[in-house]
Amino acid sequence: MAGASLLTLIDDIATVLDDVAVMTKVAAKKTAGVLGDDLALNAQQVAGVHAERELPVVWAVAMGSLRNKLILVPAALLISVVAPWLITPLLMLGGAYLCFEGFEKLAHPLLHSAAEDEAHHQALTAALSDPATDMLAFERDKIKGAIRTDFILSAEIIAITLGTVAAAPFLSQLTVLSGIALIMTVGVYGLVAGIVKLDDGGLYLSGKDSIALQWLGALMLNAAPYLMKTLAIVGTAAMFMVGGGILTHGLSFLHHAIEQTTAIAGNLPLVGRTLALLTPTVLDALTGIVAGALALLLVTAGQRGWRLVRG
């Protein structure tokens, strides 16, 4: 009898672990959009920091990110117990914010002139070359700003993950949320550290005697700026797809419309199977773009109205 009970317990544990693994995988896929943007943003946060201080700054931001998640995970679990009805609205809000952030990037050239961007770049360059500039204060400001940005992105990740595990038992929720929080922090800042030191690695290899290592070093140096641009583009596209997907799943009429459109596309001869795979993603992304445009219009109008009220 005792042996049977032990086997039953082991089976239950295995089932729970299997469920946790599946939910973690689903949550990781859904948070991919935030991850791509998180990588690009955090790699850009160390711009202007001296090369020898890049890794300490990344480490400080990573520790701040862990502290953010130590606040956000318990808050998410509390919401799931006390006010589970808040999960869907929070998820929708996170999706809308993803779309807003993505569209703001697309609209940046329209909202800010090239002269403004150049003036900001020149001011930063002048400050960094000035011996009177307090570099420790500059670093602290960079770290604080990066941690504030991380808090928003981490909140989106936790909200999306919470929506994935909302119906699961409390222990599974705790395990998945904690796992995603840890995986995302280690993954993002590990990759950020690699990205920001890519050019240094390339420079180091370029000075070697080996022709092959010199070639590899030159390749890394040339690839670094393109990698940053690619991350920014992929991250923005993923934000629309993930954010739009969250919104379409939360709005039943849009979800049903996409399902019907996908079914129609899937019945077309020759290209039906391909279209059935692409249609939901494309429609989610289009929804994300429209939602982002509307959100940006509302935010811009609100900011202008607030300035008028303040005189």
Side-chain angles (χ1 to χ4, degrees), residues 5 40 70 106 120 140 144 146 172 175 190 204 211 219 234 238-239 244-245 256-257 289 309 311:
S5 298
L70 284 174
L106 292 183
H120 174 74
R140 283 195 294 268
K144 287 178 182 177
S172 295
T175 306
Y204 173 77
I211 299 296
L219 180 64
V234 172
M239 289 168 79
H256 293 316
I289 292 171
V309 169

Side-chain angles (χ1 to χ4, degrees), residues 88 92 244-260:
T88 298
M92 297 285 283
I246 292 170
L247 294 176
T248 56
H249 279 81
L251 299 171
S252 57
F253 69 94
L254 279 178
H255 183 61
H256 293 316
I258 289 175
E259 282 185 335
Q260 291 172 358

Side-chain angles (χ1 to χ4, degrees), residues 16-28 164 176:
V16 169
L17 290 176
D18 185 56
D19 291 342
V20 166
V22 171
M23 287 186 290
T24 302
K25 184 177 179 180
V26 172
T164 303
V176 174

Side-chain angles (χ1 to χ4, degrees), residues 28 57 67 74 116 131 143 157 168 178 209 212 221 270 272 289 296 302:
V57 168
R67 288 193 294 272
E116 285 180 311
I143 291 167
I157 288 170
S178 302
D209 295 331
L221 284 170
L270 301 178
I289 292 171
L296 183 61

Side-chain angles (χ1 to χ4, degrees), residues 77-85:
L77 291 170
L78 183 63
I79 289 171
S80 71
V81 172
V82 176
W85 54 270

Side-chain angles (χ1 to χ4, degrees), residues 60-61 64-65 67-68 142-151:
V61 177
S65 177
R67 288 193 294 272
N68 286 340
K142 278 277 186 182
I143 291 167
K144 287 178 182 177
I147 291 173
R148 282 195 298 270
T149 301
D150 176 272
F151 188 88

